[in-house]
Amino acid sequence: MSSESANEDCLAWAARDTSGVLSPYKFSRRALGSDDVSLKITHCGVCYADVVWTRNKLGNSKYPVVPGHEIVGIVKEVGSNVKGFKVGDRIGVGTYVNSCRSCEYCNDLQEVCCVKFPTLTFNAIDVDGTVTKGGYSSYIVVHERYCFRIANGYPSELAAPLLCAGITVYSPMIRHKMNQPGKSLGVIGLGGLGHMAVKFGKAFGLKVTVLSTSVTKKEEALTLLGADKFVVTSDQQQLMAEAQSLDFIIDTASGDHPFDPYMMLLKTFGVYVLVGFPSEVKFNPGSLVMGMKTVSGSSTGGTKDTQEMLDFCAAHKIYPKVEVISIQYINEALERLIKKDVKYRFVIDIENSLK
């Protein structure tokens, strides 16, 4: 049965044009393949990527766009070759649903770096030629390789943000050895990604400093999230007092901001990791050369790192801070997300609101 001839049995909310306004939509998922898992979606996190593609900010949106790539659900059917999952299992799906599976990065389970580019969970071309549609929907069909087991007892609504926000900061922290107890970490930006970086930093035994332009975030950084220090970066005196104090910085800010003041905070051999998307990255070469510092970029993570991160969060009781919403509230939620009016991740209760 082809997706064209199948009944339109998948309920969703989709954007039809650059306004980004979402409304109810029905469509057909592709047929279940022998290596595929079909899961009933119970929860889906809301990421800024959902704004980017519903509003065509990159100029490549394929309407109608069904966003959502922080997906948690229950397996309702498996293909004949599937070995890792069974009906009834609770699993997650993240930012991509396929890759070439033959390049050096796929072979190393770093599929996010696939040389042919991974197939994104929404707004990409699926194996059957249709456009992928994400988690603002009732169910999804995914190759088992790109599905992740959620530990028993870990709440589904809290697991969802781990599939993008969580892995986006966890992966580079592991890669750059930001898990050495006693080392010092600076976190720029205290949103969906930043608050997870603080939580991981504390779980790794790091001394965590939140770097923010807003003094209003001090109490939540220190009390709610457990950071060791809070620095108002617009205060030159506070900033200078922290010069050469940090082993690592993870920058989650997507708004344009200067880099030299933050580079000054790194110790010799310090590492600065960028996971946000400002319009440009500009710093004086001296900020990099003097002190032999490293600047790196990172985007989500491979399947091995993602499963490891999910298991780590379960073992160490690391939970994102979320606001659970109904699908009917999604347009308001996206507007609030743009205004950074959320602490710290919206999660849609798909199971109880998408009817």
Side-chain angles (χ1 to χ4, degrees), residues 323-341:
E323 180 177 336
V324 178
I325 62 171
S326 69
I327 190 69
Q328 291 77 18
Y329 187 73
I330 188 56
N331 289 307
E332 291 88 342
L334 291 174
E335 290 296 334
R336 283 180 56 193
L337 178 60
I338 292 168
K339 297 172 185 174
K340 301 180 181 178
D341 177 25

Side-chain angles (χ1 to χ4, degrees), residues 160-309:
L162 301 180
L163 277 308
C164 176
I167 188 58
T168 295
V169 293
Y170 180 90
S171 178
M173 290 177 81
I174 295 298
R175 187 164 63 252
H176 293 287
K177 297 180 172 56
M178 296 186 193
N179 57 350
Q180 304 172 63
K183 295 281 189 175
S184 53
L185 169 71
V187 178
I188 302 173
L190 203 57
L193 277 66
H195 94 289
M196 288 304 304
V198 173
K199 286 175 171 288
F200 284 134
K202 293 303 298 179
F204 291 145
L206 305 179
K207 298 174 183 176
V208 180
T209 298
V210 171
L211 304 163
S212 176
T213 57
S214 176
V215 69
T216 60
K217 293 187 176 182
K218 181 175 181 178
E219 185 65 23
E220 63 193 71
L222 298 177
T223 304
L224 185 65
L225 299 177
D228 300 285
K229 190 180 292 187
F230 185 90
V231 174
V232 181
T233 54
S234 55
D235 184 328
Q236 279 299 307
Q237 193 169 0
Q238 283 192 42
L239 203 61
M240 291 300 295
E242 302 302 319
Q244 299 180 40
S245 67
L246 301 174
D247 295 292
F248 312 106
I249 290 176
I250 186 158
D251 184 349
T252 71
S254 286
D256 288 339
H257 56 283
F259 285 80
D260 286 317
Y262 296 117
M263 294 289 286
M264 173 194 74
L265 303 181
L266 285 174
K267 297 179 182 179
T268 297
F269 306 128
V271 177
Y272 190 113
V273 173
L274 180 68
V275 295
F277 279 86
S279 63
E280 69 172 5
V281 177
K282 185 177 181 181
F283 52 83
N284 188 308
S287 296
L288 185 64
V289 175
M290 304 305 292
M292 302 184 184
K293 297 162 188 174
T294 297
V295 174
S296 174
S298 192
S299 174
T300 65
T303 54
K304 178 178 179 294
D305 288 344
T306 302
Q307 187 63 63
E308 178 185 289
M309 178 268 311

